[in-house]
Amino acid sequence: MAGKSRRRICFVTGTRAEFGLMQTTLEAIRDHPKLQLQIVVTGMHHDARRGRTARRIADSGWKIDRSIPWRAAATPVARASETGRLTMRLARAFAELRTELVLVVGDRVEALAGATAGHLCDLAVAHVHGGDRALGQADDSLRHAITKLAHVHFPATHASARRILRLGEDRWRVHVVGAPGIDGIRRLAAPSDAVRDAFSLPRSADFALLVLHPVAADAAAEARRAQVVLEAVLQGPWDRVFLIYPNNDPGAEGIIRVWRSCLDRRVIVLPDLDRRLFLGLLRDAKVLVGNSSAGIIEAASFGLPVIDIGPRQLGREHGRNVVHCDYDGRAIRKALDALRRRGKPRGAFFNPSGGHGTGRRIAGTLASIPIDRRLLRKLIAY
């Protein structure tokens, strides 16, 4: 890095959840004297059905450097085509912004496009949450493909770091930092009074969260699965049940149809949700049901029991708060009954994804690591 110029770090974000879990990391980069934060928004951030969260990012005081449209992809072929278009547009954006390092997180196609464009543009690529395992739709393959394109790795756990090393990455490239999604979540969560006011909840109301993402591109099959899960949850004694829209993977329309057609008066359907309120709901809920990564990562820090449904998160490290079920109404009801008899524990579970300070650790590494020939030229380490 020449002179006193700040190193330009470009974060590519495609979802509301991803941006929220990276908040403390982005704050640390923005506030670091040697770094300049750039933000490119795409993907679900432009989806009107999910609240056009690009506007929420801007309204929260973040500077959006580039906004790249994303066409809704109802099929795998459409998703692949749109990913190609996004890769091209990101390459142009990086050139215009004079980006020096591209920052991506997780296993989504937007992150793959960002890593591909950055790598082929001879830029450094840093990847958060590499080395995890999750079946999803194409998640496991995409995550490890991004690892091979990235030059710097920020896994959440030592087990994930070992997987990265087995992929042939140099040990000096790997920095175990913990999960950014649990960095400061108690501070970031909305107070209980604010949560109750936002949703007109009685002070003593018990409520459940249901967050279900597709695992197949077949919308009809996803609708059937969503109906099974919803009916099982509604048999519980909840005063309210919050249904949060799924991501925009193919098949999501089937889940949305079921959510929107539910007539139970206890149900509150949320196409989008501010992260502060989402974390407040996680803290105060009695249970989270579905297949969201929030159940695997953030929930343990709030002591929230989780019933994880189906194969989407299989293989991921998790705390003792997580119980797995198939898309089976009887099994889900049995798990809910056992949870109700046991009651919600006081305090947090042990969280295998680490503790706090993740954002500062990532920013410090991004500021200090040399971007040179050694970093940019990759060989398998064995």
Side-chain angles (χ1 to χ4, degrees), residues 183-219:
D183 188 13
I185 59 173
R186 292 187 176 277
R187 171 180 61 84
L188 294 171
S192 294
D193 287 344
V195 174
R196 286 193 293 269
D197 290 345
F199 303 109
S200 301
L201 294 173
R203 183 170 295 275
S204 60
D206 288 343
F207 60 88
L209 298 180
L210 178 47
V211 189
L212 198 66
H213 300 296
V215 294
D218 186 339

PDB file of all heavy atoms in Angstrom, residues 183-219:
ATOM      1  N   ASP A 183     -20.939 -11.462  16.667  1.00  0.00           N
ATOM      2  CA  ASP A 183     -20.100 -10.386  17.180  1.00  0.00           C
ATOM      3  C   ASP A 183     -20.989  -9.238  17.643  1.00  0.00           C
ATOM      4  O   ASP A 183     -21.580  -8.534  16.827  1.00  0.00           O
ATOM      5  CB  ASP A 183     -19.149  -9.916  16.076  1.00  0.00           C
ATOM      6  CG  ASP A 183     -18.112  -8.921  16.580  1.00  0.00           C
ATOM      7  OD1 ASP A 183     -17.972  -8.775  17.819  1.00  0.00           O
ATOM      8  OD2 ASP A 183     -17.456  -8.292  15.749  1.00  0.00           O
ATOM      9  N   GLY A 184     -21.126  -9.069  18.949  1.00  0.00           N
ATOM     10  CA  GLY A 184     -21.906  -7.958  19.487  1.00  0.00           C
ATOM     11  C   GLY A 184     -23.403  -8.084  19.327  1.00  0.00           C
ATOM     12  O   GLY A 184     -24.111  -7.068  19.348  1.00  0.00           O
ATOM     13  N   ILE A 185     -23.937  -9.321  19.215  1.00  0.00           N
ATOM     14  CA  ILE A 185     -25.377  -9.435  18.922  1.00  0.00           C
ATOM     15  C   ILE A 185     -26.246  -8.977  20.087  1.00  0.00           C
ATOM     16  O   ILE A 185     -27.360  -8.493  19.858  1.00  0.00           O
ATOM     17  CB  ILE A 185     -25.776 -10.860  18.484  1.00  0.00           C
ATOM     18  CG1 ILE A 185     -25.434 -11.901  19.551  1.00  0.00           C
ATOM     19  CG2 ILE A 185     -25.141 -11.219  17.173  1.00  0.00           C
ATOM     20  CD1 ILE A 185     -25.972 -13.281  19.203  1.00  0.00           C
ATOM     21  N   ARG A 186     -25.774  -9.108  21.299  1.00  0.00           N
ATOM     22  CA  ARG A 186     -26.592  -8.634  22.420  1.00  0.00           C
ATOM     23  C   ARG A 186     -26.721  -7.112  22.386  1.00  0.00           C
ATOM     24  O   ARG A 186     -27.782  -6.551  22.706  1.00  0.00           O
ATOM     25  CB  ARG A 186     -26.000  -9.100  23.739  1.00  0.00           C
ATOM     26  CG  ARG A 186     -26.101 -10.616  23.924  1.00  0.00           C
ATOM     27  CD  ARG A 186     -25.662 -11.056  25.299  1.00  0.00           C
ATOM     28  NE  ARG A 186     -25.854 -12.494  25.458  1.00  0.00           N
ATOM     29  CZ  ARG A 186     -26.996 -13.070  25.786  1.00  0.00           C
ATOM     30  NH1 ARG A 186     -28.065 -12.320  26.004  1.00  0.00           N
ATOM     31  NH2 ARG A 186     -27.093 -14.376  25.898  1.00  0.00           N
ATOM     32  N   ARG A 187     -25.660  -6.441  21.994  1.00  0.00           N
ATOM     33  CA  ARG A 187     -25.717  -4.984  21.861  1.00  0.00           C
ATOM     34  C   ARG A 187     -26.603  -4.575  20.691  1.00  0.00           C
ATOM     35  O   ARG A 187     -27.340  -3.582  20.768  1.00  0.00           O
ATOM     36  CB  ARG A 187     -24.296  -4.427  21.663  1.00  0.00           C
ATOM     37  CG  ARG A 187     -24.255  -2.954  21.291  1.00  0.00           C
ATOM     38  CD  ARG A 187     -22.817  -2.468  21.114  1.00  0.00           C
ATOM     39  NE  ARG A 187     -22.119  -3.174  20.056  1.00  0.00           N
ATOM     40  CZ  ARG A 187     -22.199  -2.835  18.771  1.00  0.00           C
ATOM     41  NH1 ARG A 187     -22.975  -1.837  18.389  1.00  0.00           N
ATOM     42  NH2 ARG A 187     -21.505  -3.506  17.860  1.00  0.00           N
ATOM     43  N   LEU A 188     -26.544  -5.328  19.596  1.00  0.00           N
ATOM     44  CA  LEU A 188     -27.275  -4.961  18.391  1.00  0.00           C
ATOM     45  C   LEU A 188     -28.765  -5.291  18.465  1.00  0.00           C
ATOM     46  O   LEU A 188     -29.569  -4.690  17.763  1.00  0.00           O
ATOM     47  CB  LEU A 188     -26.663  -5.670  17.182  1.00  0.00           C
ATOM     48  CG  LEU A 188     -25.236  -5.264  16.803  1.00  0.00           C
ATOM     49  CD1 LEU A 188     -24.687  -6.198  15.738  1.00  0.00           C
ATOM     50  CD2 LEU A 188     -25.204  -3.817  16.312  1.00  0.00           C
ATOM     51  N   ALA A 189     -29.146  -6.254  19.311  1.00  0.00           N
ATOM     52  CA  ALA A 189     -30.549  -6.685  19.376  1.00  0.00           C
ATOM     53  C   ALA A 189     -31.438  -5.585  19.936  1.00  0.00           C
ATOM     54  O   ALA A 189     -31.085  -4.896  20.897  1.00  0.00           O
ATOM     55  CB  ALA A 189     -30.665  -7.938  20.231  1.00  0.00           C
ATOM     56  N   ALA A 190     -32.606  -5.409  19.329  1.00  0.00           N
ATOM     57  CA  ALA A 190     -33.568  -4.424  19.809  1.00  0.00           C
ATOM     58  C   ALA A 190     -34.052  -4.807  21.208  1.00  0.00           C
ATOM     59  O   ALA A 190     -34.242  -5.990  21.506  1.00  0.00           O
ATOM     60  CB  ALA A 190     -34.753  -4.341  18.853  1.00  0.00           C
ATOM     61  N   PRO A 191     -34.258  -3.836  22.100  1.00  0.00           N
ATOM     62  CA  PRO A 191     -34.789  -4.137  23.433  1.00  0.00           C
ATOM     63  C   PRO A 191     -36.160  -4.814  23.351  1.00  0.00           C
ATOM     64  O   PRO A 191     -36.898  -4.645  22.369  1.00  0.00           O
ATOM     65  CB  PRO A 191     -34.899  -2.749  24.091  1.00  0.00           C
ATOM     66  CG  PRO A 191     -33.994  -1.859  23.306  1.00  0.00           C
ATOM     67  CD  PRO A 191     -34.005  -2.397  21.906  1.00  0.00           C
ATOM     68  N   SER A 192     -36.497  -5.548  24.384  1.00  0.00           N
ATOM     69  CA  SER A 192     -37.763  -6.283  24.386  1.00  0.00           C
ATOM     70  C   SER A 192     -38.955  -5.360  24.222  1.00  0.00           C
ATOM     71  O   SER A 192     -39.934  -5.699  23.538  1.00  0.00           O
ATOM     72  CB  SER A 192     -37.899  -7.094  25.681  1.00  0.00           C
ATOM     73  OG  SER A 192     -36.922  -8.118  25.723  1.00  0.00           O
ATOM     74  N   ASP A 193     -38.928  -4.182  24.843  1.00  0.00           N
ATOM     75  CA  ASP A 193     -40.031  -3.238  24.699  1.00  0.00           C
ATOM     76  C   ASP A 193     -40.201  -2.817  23.243  1.00  0.00           C
ATOM     77  O   ASP A 193     -41.330  -2.689  22.747  1.00  0.00           O
ATOM     78  CB  ASP A 193     -39.794  -2.002  25.572  1.00  0.00           C
ATOM     79  CG  ASP A 193     -39.995  -2.288  27.055  1.00  0.00           C
ATOM     80  OD1 ASP A 193     -40.597  -3.336  27.370  1.00  0.00           O
ATOM     81  OD2 ASP A 193     -39.556  -1.471  27.877  1.00  0.00           O
ATOM     82  N   ALA A 194     -39.077  -2.596  22.540  1.00  0.00           N
ATOM     83  CA  ALA A 194     -39.148  -2.200  21.130  1.00  0.00           C
ATOM     84  C   ALA A 194     -39.711  -3.325  20.269  1.00  0.00           C
ATOM     85  O   ALA A 194     -40.467  -3.078  19.323  1.00  0.00           O
ATOM     86  CB  ALA A 194     -37.759  -1.797  20.634  1.00  0.00           C
ATOM     87  N   VAL A 195     -39.354  -4.567  20.599  1.00  0.00           N
ATOM     88  CA  VAL A 195     -39.881  -5.714  19.860  1.00  0.00           C
ATOM     89  C   VAL A 195     -41.396  -5.823  20.060  1.00  0.00           C
ATOM     90  O   VAL A 195     -42.167  -5.989  19.105  1.00  0.00           O
ATOM     91  CB  VAL A 195     -39.185  -7.013  20.301  1.00  0.00           C
ATOM     92  CG1 VAL A 195     -39.838  -8.229  19.647  1.00  0.00           C
ATOM     93  CG2 VAL A 195     -37.704  -6.965  19.941  1.00  0.00           C
ATOM     94  N   ARG A 196     -41.840  -5.701  21.306  1.00  0.00           N
ATOM     95  CA  ARG A 196     -43.275  -5.804  21.579  1.00  0.00           C
ATOM     96  C   ARG A 196     -44.050  -4.672  20.897  1.00  0.00           C
ATOM     97  O   ARG A 196     -45.125  -4.881  20.331  1.00  0.00           O
ATOM     98  CB  ARG A 196     -43.518  -5.787  23.083  1.00  0.00           C
ATOM     99  CG  ARG A 196     -43.127  -7.078  23.790  1.00  0.00           C
ATOM    100  CD  ARG A 196     -43.690  -7.114  25.200  1.00  0.00           C
ATOM    101  NE  ARG A 196     -43.070  -6.085  26.049  1.00  0.00           N
ATOM    102  CZ  ARG A 196     -41.993  -6.278  26.785  1.00  0.00           C
ATOM    103  NH1 ARG A 196     -41.397  -7.458  26.793  1.00  0.00           N
ATOM    104  NH2 ARG A 196     -41.499  -5.310  27.536  1.00  0.00           N
ATOM    105  N   ASP A 197     -43.479  -3.463  20.939  1.00  0.00           N
ATOM    106  CA  ASP A 197     -44.164  -2.325  20.317  1.00  0.00           C
ATOM    107  C   ASP A 197     -44.239  -2.488  18.793  1.00  0.00           C
ATOM    108  O   ASP A 197     -45.252  -2.147  18.172  1.00  0.00           O
ATOM    109  CB  ASP A 197     -43.430  -1.021  20.655  1.00  0.00           C
ATOM    110  CG  ASP A 197     -43.579  -0.641  22.128  1.00  0.00           C
ATOM    111  OD1 ASP A 197     -44.459  -1.210  22.795  1.00  0.00           O
ATOM    112  OD2 ASP A 197     -42.802   0.215  22.595  1.00  0.00           O
ATOM    113  N   ALA A 198     -43.167  -3.011  18.198  1.00  0.00           N
ATOM    114  CA  ALA A 198     -43.129  -3.137  16.739  1.00  0.00           C
ATOM    115  C   ALA A 198     -44.196  -4.086  16.222  1.00  0.00           C
ATOM    116  O   ALA A 198     -44.720  -3.900  15.109  1.00  0.00           O
ATOM    117  CB  ALA A 198     -41.745  -3.610  16.293  1.00  0.00           C
ATOM    118  N   PHE A 199     -44.547  -5.097  17.027  1.00  0.00           N
ATOM    119  CA  PHE A 199     -45.496  -6.107  16.566  1.00  0.00           C
ATOM    120  C   PHE A 199     -46.748  -6.185  17.433  1.00  0.00           C
ATOM    121  O   PHE A 199     -47.509  -7.155  17.325  1.00  0.00           O
ATOM    122  CB  PHE A 199     -44.801  -7.470  16.510  1.00  0.00           C
ATOM    123  CG  PHE A 199     -43.588  -7.496  15.638  1.00  0.00           C
ATOM    124  CD1 PHE A 199     -42.320  -7.584  16.196  1.00  0.00           C
ATOM    125  CD2 PHE A 199     -43.697  -7.384  14.258  1.00  0.00           C
ATOM    126  CE1 PHE A 199     -41.186  -7.597  15.397  1.00  0.00           C
ATOM    127  CE2 PHE A 199     -42.575  -7.389  13.458  1.00  0.00           C
ATOM    128  CZ  PHE A 199     -41.313  -7.491  14.022  1.00  0.00           C
ATOM    129  N   SER A 200     -46.958  -5.190  18.281  1.00  0.00           N
ATOM    130  CA  SER A 200     -48.148  -5.133  19.157  1.00  0.00           C
ATOM    131  C   SER A 200     -48.304  -6.418  19.958  1.00  0.00           C
ATOM    132  O   SER A 200     -49.394  -6.999  20.048  1.00  0.00           O
ATOM    133  CB  SER A 200     -49.410  -4.866  18.323  1.00  0.00           C
ATOM    134  OG  SER A 200     -49.291  -3.646  17.613  1.00  0.00           O
ATOM    135  N   LEU A 201     -47.208  -6.874  20.553  1.00  0.00           N
ATOM    136  CA  LEU A 201     -47.220  -8.110  21.331  1.00  0.00           C
ATOM    137  C   LEU A 201     -47.570  -7.827  22.787  1.00  0.00           C
ATOM    138  O   LEU A 201     -47.000  -6.912  23.388  1.00  0.00           O
ATOM    139  CB  LEU A 201     -45.838  -8.781  21.280  1.00  0.00           C
ATOM    140  CG  LEU A 201     -45.370  -9.317  19.933  1.00  0.00           C
ATOM    141  CD1 LEU A 201     -43.915  -9.779  20.051  1.00  0.00           C
ATOM    142  CD2 LEU A 201     -46.249 -10.456  19.469  1.00  0.00           C
ATOM    143  N   PRO A 202     -48.483  -8.573  23.376  1.00  0.00           N
ATOM    144  CA  PRO A 202     -48.698  -8.463  24.820  1.00  0.00           C
ATOM    145  C   PRO A 202     -47.416  -8.803  25.582  1.00  0.00           C
ATOM    146  O   PRO A 202     -46.577  -9.571  25.104  1.00  0.00           O
ATOM    147  CB  PRO A 202     -49.789  -9.506  25.095  1.00  0.00           C
ATOM    148  CG  PRO A 202     -50.433  -9.749  23.767  1.00  0.00           C
ATOM    149  CD  PRO A 202     -49.370  -9.555  22.741  1.00  0.00           C
ATOM    150  N   ARG A 203     -47.270  -8.227  26.749  1.00  0.00           N
ATOM    151  CA  ARG A 203     -46.027  -8.411  27.507  1.00  0.00           C
ATOM    152  C   ARG A 203     -45.738  -9.877  27.798  1.00  0.00           C
ATOM    153  O   ARG A 203     -44.587 -10.295  27.802  1.00  0.00           O
ATOM    154  CB  ARG A 203     -46.111  -7.623  28.814  1.00  0.00           C
ATOM    155  CG  ARG A 203     -44.841  -7.677  29.666  1.00  0.00           C
ATOM    156  CD  ARG A 203     -44.920  -6.696  30.809  1.00  0.00           C
ATOM    157  NE  ARG A 203     -44.960  -5.329  30.320  1.00  0.00           N
ATOM    158  CZ  ARG A 203     -43.871  -4.623  30.028  1.00  0.00           C
ATOM    159  NH1 ARG A 203     -42.673  -5.168  30.156  1.00  0.00           N
ATOM    160  NH2 ARG A 203     -43.981  -3.389  29.614  1.00  0.00           N
ATOM    161  N   SER A 204     -46.775 -10.676  28.008  1.00  0.00           N
ATOM    162  CA  SER A 204     -46.571 -12.082  28.380  1.00  0.00           C
ATOM    163  C   SER A 204     -46.684 -13.028  27.195  1.00  0.00           C
ATOM    164  O   SER A 204     -46.735 -14.246  27.379  1.00  0.00           O
ATOM    165  CB  SER A 204     -47.587 -12.479  29.447  1.00  0.00           C
ATOM    166  OG  SER A 204     -48.912 -12.316  28.946  1.00  0.00           O
ATOM    167  N   ALA A 205     -46.706 -12.497  25.972  1.00  0.00           N
ATOM    168  CA  ALA A 205     -46.940 -13.347  24.800  1.00  0.00           C
ATOM    169  C   ALA A 205     -45.779 -14.309  24.562  1.00  0.00           C
ATOM    170  O   ALA A 205     -44.608 -13.919  24.604  1.00  0.00           O
ATOM    171  CB  ALA A 205     -47.152 -12.474  23.562  1.00  0.00           C
ATOM    172  N   ASP A 206     -46.126 -15.577  24.318  1.00  0.00           N
ATOM    173  CA  ASP A 206     -45.150 -16.571  23.874  1.00  0.00           C
ATOM    174  C   ASP A 206     -45.234 -16.672  22.354  1.00  0.00           C
ATOM    175  O   ASP A 206     -46.335 -16.763  21.795  1.00  0.00           O
ATOM    176  CB  ASP A 206     -45.453 -17.945  24.480  1.00  0.00           C
ATOM    177  CG  ASP A 206     -45.132 -17.999  25.961  1.00  0.00           C
ATOM    178  OD1 ASP A 206     -44.394 -17.118  26.436  1.00  0.00           O
ATOM    179  OD2 ASP A 206     -45.640 -18.906  26.642  1.00  0.00           O
ATOM    180  N   PHE A 207     -44.085 -16.674  21.696  1.00  0.00           N
ATOM    181  CA  PHE A 207     -44.136 -16.744  20.238  1.00  0.00           C
ATOM    182  C   PHE A 207     -43.023 -17.632  19.696  1.00  0.00           C
ATOM    183  O   PHE A 207     -41.995 -17.864  20.343  1.00  0.00           O
ATOM    184  CB  PHE A 207     -44.064 -15.345  19.603  1.00  0.00           C
ATOM    185  CG  PHE A 207     -42.824 -14.557  19.927  1.00  0.00           C
ATOM    186  CD1 PHE A 207     -41.678 -14.673  19.158  1.00  0.00           C
ATOM    187  CD2 PHE A 207     -42.809 -13.675  20.998  1.00  0.00           C
ATOM    188  CE1 PHE A 207     -40.538 -13.939  19.438  1.00  0.00           C
ATOM    189  CE2 PHE A 207     -41.683 -12.931  21.295  1.00  0.00           C
ATOM    190  CZ  PHE A 207     -40.542 -13.062  20.506  1.00  0.00           C
ATOM    191  N   ALA A 208     -43.282 -18.145  18.489  1.00  0.00           N
ATOM    192  CA  ALA A 208     -42.335 -18.987  17.773  1.00  0.00           C
ATOM    193  C   ALA A 208     -41.928 -18.288  16.486  1.00  0.00           C
ATOM    194  O   ALA A 208     -42.705 -17.521  15.901  1.00  0.00           O
ATOM    195  CB  ALA A 208     -42.955 -20.346  17.459  1.00  0.00           C
ATOM    196  N   LEU A 209     -40.712 -18.563  16.022  1.00  0.00           N
ATOM    197  CA  LEU A 209     -40.224 -18.078  14.735  1.00  0.00           C
ATOM    198  C   LEU A 209     -40.153 -19.255  13.773  1.00  0.00           C
ATOM    199  O   LEU A 209     -39.700 -20.340  14.147  1.00  0.00           O
ATOM    200  CB  LEU A 209     -38.831 -17.470  14.864  1.00  0.00           C
ATOM    201  CG  LEU A 209     -38.653 -16.259  15.763  1.00  0.00           C
ATOM    202  CD1 LEU A 209     -37.193 -15.826  15.748  1.00  0.00           C
ATOM    203  CD2 LEU A 209     -39.545 -15.124  15.334  1.00  0.00           C
ATOM    204  N   LEU A 210     -40.572 -19.016  12.534  1.00  0.00           N
ATOM    205  CA  LEU A 210     -40.476 -20.034  11.491  1.00  0.00           C
ATOM    206  C   LEU A 210     -39.766 -19.414  10.291  1.00  0.00           C
ATOM    207  O   LEU A 210     -40.287 -18.478   9.673  1.00  0.00           O
ATOM    208  CB  LEU A 210     -41.875 -20.541  11.110  1.00  0.00           C
ATOM    209  CG  LEU A 210     -41.984 -21.579  10.004  1.00  0.00           C
ATOM    210  CD1 LEU A 210     -40.984 -22.717  10.183  1.00  0.00           C
ATOM    211  CD2 LEU A 210     -43.402 -22.135   9.942  1.00  0.00           C
ATOM    212  N   VAL A 211     -38.571 -19.918   9.995  1.00  0.00           N
ATOM    213  CA  VAL A 211     -37.770 -19.420   8.872  1.00  0.00           C
ATOM    214  C   VAL A 211     -37.366 -20.627   8.038  1.00  0.00           C
ATOM    215  O   VAL A 211     -36.544 -21.441   8.462  1.00  0.00           O
ATOM    216  CB  VAL A 211     -36.516 -18.665   9.337  1.00  0.00           C
ATOM    217  CG1 VAL A 211     -35.838 -17.988   8.136  1.00  0.00           C
ATOM    218  CG2 VAL A 211     -36.850 -17.635  10.407  1.00  0.00           C
ATOM    219  N   LEU A 212     -37.951 -20.738   6.846  1.00  0.00           N
ATOM    220  CA  LEU A 212     -37.742 -21.916   6.006  1.00  0.00           C
ATOM    221  C   LEU A 212     -37.263 -21.468   4.627  1.00  0.00           C
ATOM    222  O   LEU A 212     -37.897 -20.626   3.986  1.00  0.00           O
ATOM    223  CB  LEU A 212     -39.053 -22.697   5.884  1.00  0.00           C
ATOM    224  CG  LEU A 212     -38.978 -24.137   5.418  1.00  0.00           C
ATOM    225  CD1 LEU A 212     -38.252 -25.003   6.440  1.00  0.00           C
ATOM    226  CD2 LEU A 212     -40.395 -24.685   5.181  1.00  0.00           C
ATOM    227  N   HIS A 213     -36.153 -22.041   4.186  1.00  0.00           N
ATOM    228  CA  HIS A 213     -35.613 -21.766   2.856  1.00  0.00           C
ATOM    229  C   HIS A 213     -35.762 -23.014   1.988  1.00  0.00           C
ATOM    230  O   HIS A 213     -35.814 -24.135   2.499  1.00  0.00           O
ATOM    231  CB  HIS A 213     -34.128 -21.378   2.939  1.00  0.00           C
ATOM    232  CG  HIS A 213     -33.882 -20.155   3.763  1.00  0.00           C
ATOM    233  ND1 HIS A 213     -34.365 -18.921   3.410  1.00  0.00           N
ATOM    234  CD2 HIS A 213     -33.183 -19.984   4.919  1.00  0.00           C
ATOM    235  CE1 HIS A 213     -33.986 -18.030   4.313  1.00  0.00           C
ATOM    236  NE2 HIS A 213     -33.272 -18.646   5.236  1.00  0.00           N
ATOM    237  N   PRO A 214     -35.802 -22.845   0.658  1.00  0.00           N
ATOM    238  CA  PRO A 214     -35.959 -24.015  -0.220  1.00  0.00           C
ATOM    239  C   PRO A 214     -34.703 -24.874  -0.258  1.00  0.00           C
ATOM    240  O   PRO A 214     -33.587 -24.369  -0.126  1.00  0.00           O
ATOM    241  CB  PRO A 214     -36.240 -23.383  -1.593  1.00  0.00           C
ATOM    242  CG  PRO A 214     -35.620 -22.034  -1.528  1.00  0.00           C
ATOM    243  CD  PRO A 214     -35.776 -21.581  -0.108  1.00  0.00           C
ATOM    244  N   VAL A 215     -34.910 -26.165  -0.457  1.00  0.00           N
ATOM    245  CA  VAL A 215     -33.786 -27.082  -0.657  1.00  0.00           C
ATOM    246  C   VAL A 215     -33.830 -27.706  -2.044  1.00  0.00           C
ATOM    247  O   VAL A 215     -32.959 -28.483  -2.415  1.00  0.00           O
ATOM    248  CB  VAL A 215     -33.754 -28.187   0.420  1.00  0.00           C
ATOM    249  CG1 VAL A 215     -33.476 -27.598   1.787  1.00  0.00           C
ATOM    250  CG2 VAL A 215     -35.060 -28.979   0.445  1.00  0.00           C
ATOM    251  N   ALA A 216     -34.870 -27.374  -2.810  1.00  0.00           N
ATOM    252  CA  ALA A 216     -35.009 -27.875  -4.183  1.00  0.00           C
ATOM    253  C   ALA A 216     -35.659 -26.788  -5.027  1.00  0.00           C
ATOM    254  O   ALA A 216     -36.288 -25.866  -4.511  1.00  0.00           O
ATOM    255  CB  ALA A 216     -35.847 -29.149  -4.216  1.00  0.00           C
ATOM    256  N   ALA A 217     -35.492 -26.903  -6.330  1.00  0.00           N
ATOM    257  CA  ALA A 217     -36.041 -25.891  -7.240  1.00  0.00           C
ATOM    258  C   ALA A 217     -37.512 -26.094  -7.545  1.00  0.00           C
ATOM    259  O   ALA A 217     -38.121 -25.269  -8.238  1.00  0.00           O
ATOM    260  CB  ALA A 217     -35.240 -25.890  -8.544  1.00  0.00           C
ATOM    261  N   ASP A 218     -38.115 -27.151  -7.040  1.00  0.00           N
ATOM    262  CA  ASP A 218     -39.505 -27.488  -7.302  1.00  0.00           C
ATOM    263  C   ASP A 218     -40.404 -26.722  -6.331  1.00  0.00           C
ATOM    264  O   ASP A 218     -40.518 -27.066  -5.149  1.00  0.00           O
ATOM    265  CB  ASP A 218     -39.691 -28.993  -7.135  1.00  0.00           C
ATOM    266  CG  ASP A 218     -41.088 -29.468  -7.522  1.00  0.00           C
ATOM    267  OD1 ASP A 218     -42.022 -28.650  -7.542  1.00  0.00           O
ATOM    268  OD2 ASP A 218     -41.225 -30.674  -7.790  1.00  0.00           O
ATOM    269  N   ALA A 219     -41.074 -25.670  -6.813  1.00  0.00           N
ATOM    270  CA  ALA A 219     -41.901 -24.837  -5.948  1.00  0.00           C
ATOM    271  C   ALA A 219     -43.053 -25.623  -5.339  1.00  0.00           C
ATOM    272  O   ALA A 219     -43.433 -25.390  -4.181  1.00  0.00           O
ATOM    273  CB  ALA A 219     -42.430 -23.632  -6.729  1.00  0.00           C
TER     274      ALA A 219
END
